[in-house]
Amino acid sequence: MKFSEQWLREWVNPDISSHELSEQLSMAGLEVDAVEPVADEFHTVVVGEVIDCGPHPDADKLQITKVDVGEAEPVDIVCGASNCRLGIKVAVAKVGAVLPGDFKIKKAKLRGQPSNGMLCSFKELGLIDEHDGIIELPADAPVGEDYRKYLQLDDNSIDIDLTPNRGDCLSIRGIAREVGVLNRLDVTVPESNEVAASIEDTLSITLSAAEQCPRYLGRVIKGVDLTRPTPVWMTEKLRRSGIRSIDPVVDVTNYVLLELGHPMHAFDLDSLEGNIDVRLAKPKEKLTLLDDQEVELDDDTLVIADEKRALAMAGVYGGKNSGVTENSKNIFLESAFFAPDAILGKARRYGLHTDASHRYERGVDPQLQRTAMERATELLLAICGGEAGPVTEAVAEPFLPKRDGITLRASRLAKVLGVSIANDNVTEILERLGFDVSFDSEQWQVGIPSYRFDLSIEEDLIEEVARVYGYNSIQAAPPAAQLRMTKRKESQLSAHQLVDAMVSRGYQEAITYSFVDPKHQALMFDETAALTLPHPISVDMSSMRVSLWPGLVGAVAHNQKRQQSVLAFVETGLRFIPDESAENGVRQEAVISGIRSGKAHSEHWSEGDSAVDFYDVKGDVEALLAQTGNAAAFRFVASQHPALHPGQSAAIYRGSEKVGDIGALHPKFDKALGLNQRTFVFELALSAVTERPLPQAKPVSRYPSIRRDLAVVVDKDLAAGELIAAMENVGVKQLVDLNLFDVYIGDGVAEGKQSLALSVTLQDSDKTLEEAEVTELMTKFIETLKSEFNATLRD
């Protein structure tokens, strides 16, 4: 919100400087971004009148003028502006004047003719960038008066960055109300009179979308002359507020927008076909906007229409076919309340942003429409002439916002602010804010005005009191708190510990979006339905992930395109599985996932140049499982997964429960996913790897351990882990280590078979094991393997 400081001071004029005013507004929550002068520095520029104007004898585009500048004799000035003519009032830089850019005016000769000054344009005085000829001033401008004084250019433009909840301050009226409260001053509202109807012409109004537009006012104004110029005082206030003057009708509606904070729109009455209908757009309905852009309207877009077609996007943008032009003689003026939810996001959807949509999205006072209508009518008739008809109003009371009262307790106010404010001061603050206040039994009953959409609970009122009382007046006191150790289960592993374990193995922690490309996810999880977002950021981020793999794959593909040869990422997060039995129809599961691609190691003379393989990633997962202190409880079982290579994938089980997957991404997906190297992934449910048994201390055996090697021949498809698990389940308490150290397939081993060599380490904590005991234990292992896997000892 940008506005003129002088304009604000017409409403309320505290005895403080511009700097103090900006500080005061900022501390009250209306952050001032900039305070800039409305005009660059210049001097010795006065109001003049062209009393003689003729062609230059030696230049076709120059004119010789005599200008009355309020002195004894007129001055001769050569001018090249096409709009220079006899009788107009102009801005004259006299000899000795200094214009913006340190441009000094001296006596000169132009093509042999003397020129003792310059007729100035807006651009030359640093007022606006446009340069359409010299400045033309009103006929009543006093000749000889200093131009800066005449336009009151010793003024500042103040730019305020308002938060979305303070739509009530998007006007001079709203800001003046705040300044008045902060300085305990009354606000002087400019005098405005209700305009009596002088003609009977009206248009009837139908609210077909009453919920979206519960109040709509319209007025016919006939016989306007839009060739008349907008008064300088109005164009200057608009300019200093960052708005360019266009024509009297647009200027008046913009002026009311800035003054009262209420958007308005005017239609060319002669272009309308029938009466007004406020309705939702029809399917595929099209509208050509004022900027010549044609848009196809969605059926939830509110429009102002006549009996034939849509005229404008309500609260956003007008239509070209019904727009007011310089040839318009009769207009229909609109002043309406549109529900914020009906306008919210509509402008952005069509690639638009207007001052009207900016205000309607944040909320406009639903009781301000008639005031705005009368103010705009009064200004239009004063500038353009014409006759006004009666105001026609359509209202649907049930859909107008209702403002409930709020109770503010004195005890709660003191507790939250940490300071005691006198009850009378609180009452005065609330009343000056425009609230209806009564105080009884140490609490205030506060009626909220219609323009304060942001107040609904007690804490909102506490904030109002605090900012008006002054945050600087509230003494800072550090909070007093006692440190207390939080309870933490020693058996609980945190996700950070698991990630750190992977980082120590060369992984990097990644954080990816929870929403992914639905096409990529469907490739990898063709059997799993995904949750589709109703309003996604973009098409390629429109599905909630059912696994962390799609995001990690995208990260790997991104880095591969940037010549990264060693890639290993780990991530913890939620996956979202559609489940009708779950709350909101989706089951959220915390998982830890990892991905590796490229070389197994960074380039080094002592390391080979091998690519990462399945067993590298399996080793990483085993290291992760070791963090639980119970790695033996987990096993890898060959399985099929739609995203993984059928020969290089496994399910991970804890007991009989499947807790994860590991494997190589199927090569058929590489091109679609943007991968150019073999990629391996894993994913584990966090709940399965965050519990660990507490360590139990026991004495270290003083007796020697005994190792026996055992080589057995089993089916080629049998996983070694099955054998190890079976041997551990035998229940031999002397077994302290069991390790697979060799796998052999070849000569001496039958076709379809494999030889697995295991080292068995035995140790007793109470005695030295004798040979007979060792033999007995080994026999138990061999018999178990024979009975469960049809294993035979290798010769």
Side-chain angles (χ1 to χ4, degrees):
M1 172 69 185
K2 190 176 183 181
F3 61 92
S4 160
E5 182 183 343
Q6 282 185 3
W7 192 5
L8 174 65
R9 289 183 183 272
E10 291 175 11
W11 287 67
V12 59
N13 190 12
D15 187 18
I16 56 178
S17 66
S18 300
H19 176 73
E20 290 170 326
L21 176 62
S22 63
E23 285 291 320
Q24 190 179 73
L25 289 171
S26 292
M27 289 305 297
L30 311 181
E31 182 181 358
V32 175
D33 276 352
V35 179
E36 299 174 342
V38 300
D40 292 340
E41 285 297 323
F42 62 84
H43 64 78
T44 320
V45 178
V46 300
V47 175
E49 181 179 2
V50 178
I51 59 175
D52 190 15
C53 183
H56 193 290
D58 297 323
D60 294 338
K61 295 185 178 181
L62 297 179
Q63 300 182 73
I64 300 174
T65 68
K66 286 187 180 295
V67 183
D68 181 5
V69 293
E71 297 179 351
E73 297 291 333
V75 294
D76 295 321
I77 298 176
V78 177
C79 177
S82 60
N83 64 326
C84 181
R85 61 192 184 277
L86 182 65
I88 64 171
K89 298 286 182 71
V90 293
V92 185
K94 299 194 297 184
V95 173
V98 178
L99 303 186
D102 199 29
F103 182 66
K104 299 177 180 178
I105 303 299
K106 302 176 181 178
K107 290 184 178 181
K109 282 192 176 183
L110 296 177
R111 295 288 184 94
Q113 297 296 323
S115 183
N116 301 318
M118 184 173 77
L119 305 187
C120 300
S121 68
F122 286 110
K123 184 176 182 179
E124 288 161 343
L125 295 183
L127 299 178
I128 57 177
D129 292 334
E130 294 182 357
H131 192 346
D132 294 331
I134 58 176
I135 300 170
E136 295 186 39
L137 298 175
D140 60 355
V143 173
E145 183 171 352
D146 184 272
Y147 185 74
R148 292 191 72 93
K149 180 180 178 182
Y150 172 66
L151 284 188
Q152 299 181 347
L153 292 178
D154 294 325
D155 184 16
N156 293 311
S157 282
I158 301 176
D159 194 356
I160 292 180
D161 185 13
L162 293 171
T163 52
N165 64 316
R166 292 311 305 271
D168 61 298
C169 289
L170 286 168
S171 66
I172 293 293
R173 180 186 190 181
I175 297 170
R177 188 165 46 224
E178 292 289 307
V179 174
V181 172
L182 296 173
N183 294 279
R184 298 188 175 187
L185 296 174
D186 293 331
V187 175
T188 303
V189 179
E191 183 179 350
S192 179
N193 300 311
E194 185 174 325
V195 177
S198 56
I199 57 176
E200 299 299 325
D201 299 64
T202 62
L203 292 181
S204 67
I205 299 166
T206 302
L207 299 181
S208 297
E211 185 174 356
Q212 291 80 9
C213 176
R215 172 171 280 144
Y216 189 97
L217 280 70
R219 185 174 222 168
V220 171
I221 303 178
K222 286 192 167 185
V224 295
D225 181 5
L226 299 188
T227 62
R228 296 184 186 181
T230 304
V232 172
W233 63 265
M234 181 177 288
T235 59
E236 270 299 293
K237 285 180 177 178
L238 293 176
R239 180 184 72 82
R240 299 175 196 189
S241 301
I243 296 179
R244 181 171 60 91
S245 174
I246 298 176
D247 62 53
V249 172
V250 175
D251 291 348
V252 165
T253 55
N254 282 335
Y255 184 85
V256 173
L257 173 83
L258 292 172
E259 184 181 64
L260 303 180
H262 196 289
M264 299 185 69
H265 187 66
F267 299 95
D268 186 328
L269 180 65
D270 297 327
S271 70
L272 304 186
E273 300 182 56
N275 294 307
I276 297 297
D277 185 11
V278 185
R279 59 173 172 81
L280 295 176
K282 300 173 183 178
K284 306 295 184 180
E285 187 171 13
K286 294 184 178 180
L287 175 66
T288 301
L289 304 177
L290 287 170
D291 62 358
D292 293 323
Q293 176 188 357
E294 185 179 73
V295 295
E296 184 176 293
L297 302 172
D298 297 331
D299 58 9
D300 64 342
T301 299
L302 188 67
V303 298
I304 311 301
D306 59 18
E307 295 174 4
K308 299 293 185 181
R309 68 192 191 282
L311 305 174
M313 291 173 61
V316 178
Y317 218 77
K320 182 175 182 179
N321 295 330
S322 62
V324 175
T325 68
E326 62 181 8
N327 298 319
S328 298
K329 299 298 182 184
N330 307 307
I331 65 173
F332 177 74
L333 197 59
E334 161 195 284
S335 179
F337 172 74
F338 302 118
D341 289 345
I343 308 301
L344 188 63
K346 297 299 188 300
R348 191 163 52 253
R349 182 188 300 177
Y350 296 101
L352 303 170
H353 181 78
T354 63
D355 289 330
S357 66
H358 187 77
R359 285 162 173 80
Y360 277 123
E361 287 177 340
R362 286 154 177 77
V364 169
D365 184 354
Q367 304 299 327
L368 189 59
Q369 288 69 49
R370 184 169 289 274
T371 302
M373 176 66 78
E374 296 294 351
R375 179 62 167 154
T377 303
E378 180 185 29
L379 291 170
L380 271 173
L381 296 182
I383 297 171
C384 304
E387 297 179 295
V391 176
T392 304
E393 179 177 8
V395 61
E397 290 289 346
F399 296 113
L400 285 172
K402 304 295 189 298
R403 310 299 296 142
D404 296 328
I406 304 174
T407 300
L408 174 61
R409 296 164 292 170
S411 58
R412 179 64 177 167
L413 178 68
K415 181 177 180 181
V416 172
L417 298 185
V419 63
S420 180
I421 304 175
N423 293 340
D424 290 344
N425 287 349
V426 175
T427 301
E428 182 187 9
I429 289 171
L430 295 175
E431 288 178 343
R432 284 195 172 277
L433 284 167
F435 303 162
D436 183 15
V437 183
S438 62
F439 181 73
D440 185 41
S441 302
E442 292 300 305
Q443 63 183 24
W444 291 268
Q445 298 298 328
V446 183
I448 307 302
S450 57
Y451 54 82
R452 290 305 297 269
F453 282 78
D454 58 317
L455 305 179
S456 58
I457 60 176
E458 185 178 23
E459 281 69 19
D460 293 333
L461 291 181
I462 295 173
E463 182 182 3
E464 290 296 295
V465 172
R467 68 184 188 83
V468 175
Y469 180 74
Y471 295 118
N472 290 335
S473 301
I474 302 175
Q475 186 176 359
Q482 294 180 344
L483 295 178
R484 182 173 58 185
M485 296 295 291
T486 57
K487 293 182 179 180
R488 180 178 176 274
K489 290 177 64 176
E490 190 177 352
S491 62
Q492 186 76 31
L493 277 171
S494 70
H496 293 298
Q497 289 174 283
L498 298 175
V499 170
D500 288 346
M502 301 305 290
V503 169
S504 68
R505 296 182 65 85
Y507 282 71
Q508 296 184 59
E509 185 176 7
I511 300 175
T512 64
Y513 284 107
S514 297
F515 15 90
V516 297
D517 191 327
K519 298 192 298 294
H520 290 175
Q521 183 158 267
L523 284 175
M524 302 172 68
F525 301 92
D526 57 350
E527 297 179 358
T528 304
L531 185 67
T532 302
L533 297 173
H535 304 291
I537 296 174
S538 61
V539 175
D540 58 354
M541 301 178 75
S542 58
S543 283
M544 299 301 293
R545 64 188 181 193
V546 298
S547 166
L548 273 57
W549 289 349
L552 291 173
V553 167
V556 166
H558 179 85
N559 281 273
Q560 285 180 348
K561 292 173 184 175
R562 286 154 181 80
Q563 294 83 45
Q564 299 302 305
S565 59
V566 181
L567 296 169
F569 298 135
V570 63
E571 180 179 11
T572 58
L574 295 175
R575 61 187 179 192
F576 305 87
I577 311 298
D579 185 350
E580 294 182 359
S581 63
E583 185 178 0
N584 298 324
V586 60
R587 186 175 73 254
Q588 301 183 43
E589 300 175 349
V591 295
I592 181 169
S593 295
I595 188 168
R596 284 189 69 176
S597 185
K599 296 181 180 179
H601 307 281
S602 299
E603 187 174 9
H604 191 268
W605 64 268
S606 66
E607 300 287 351
D609 195 27
S610 60
V612 65
D613 61 21
F614 177 87
Y615 293 102
D616 290 324
V617 181
K618 182 173 181 286
D620 296 333
V621 174
E622 288 174 335
L624 182 65
L625 299 177
Q627 298 295 312
T628 67
N630 191 20
F634 296 87
R635 57 194 177 95
F636 296 80
V637 179
S639 67
Q640 302 290 322
H641 190 285
L644 303 179
H645 192 292
Q648 296 188 50
S649 65
I652 305 172
Y653 285 84
R654 180 170 187 167
S656 60
E657 179 189 6
K658 181 182 176 181
V659 296
D661 291 284
I662 183 175
L665 281 178
H666 202 295
K668 69 180 181 180
F669 302 139
D670 286 356
K671 184 176 180 180
L673 298 176
L675 300 172
N676 55 35
Q677 297 185 54
R678 293 299 307 279
T679 303
F680 298 85
V681 293
F682 70 84
E683 187 163 89
L684 288 161
L686 269 177
S687 59
V689 292
T690 51
E691 287 289 338
R692 61 181 175 183
L694 294 178
Q696 301 294 326
K698 59 182 181 179
V700 177
S701 176
R702 297 177 296 167
Y703 302 98
S705 61
I706 298 174
R707 169 174 168 162
R708 291 287 186 269
D709 292 343
L710 178 64
V712 293
V713 177
V714 295
D715 291 340
K716 185 178 180 180
D717 296 334
L718 182 64
E722 300 289 333
L723 271 72
I724 293 173
M727 293 175 68
E728 289 174 339
N729 289 335
V730 170
V732 175
K733 67 178 182 178
Q734 292 88 354
L735 179 64
V736 295
D737 191 27
L738 184 59
N739 182 49
L740 173 70
F741 67 87
D742 183 55
V743 178
Y744 174 74
I745 299 174
D747 295 339
V749 177
E751 186 176 352
K753 299 288 185 179
Q754 62 178 336
S755 170
L756 303 179
L758 302 116
S759 65
V760 181
T761 304
L762 302 169
Q763 186 180 36
D764 197 297
S765 58
D766 299 324
K767 62 180 180 177
T768 300
L769 290 174
E770 297 183 359
E771 185 63 29
E773 292 175 304
V774 173
T775 301
E776 181 182 356
L777 294 173
M778 292 301 295
T779 300
K780 287 183 179 181
F781 291 139
I782 294 170
E783 290 176 350
T784 298
L785 297 180
K786 284 182 178 179
S787 62
E788 293 191 18
F789 305 106
N790 197 25
T792 59
L793 291 176
R794 183 179 172 189
D795 296 334

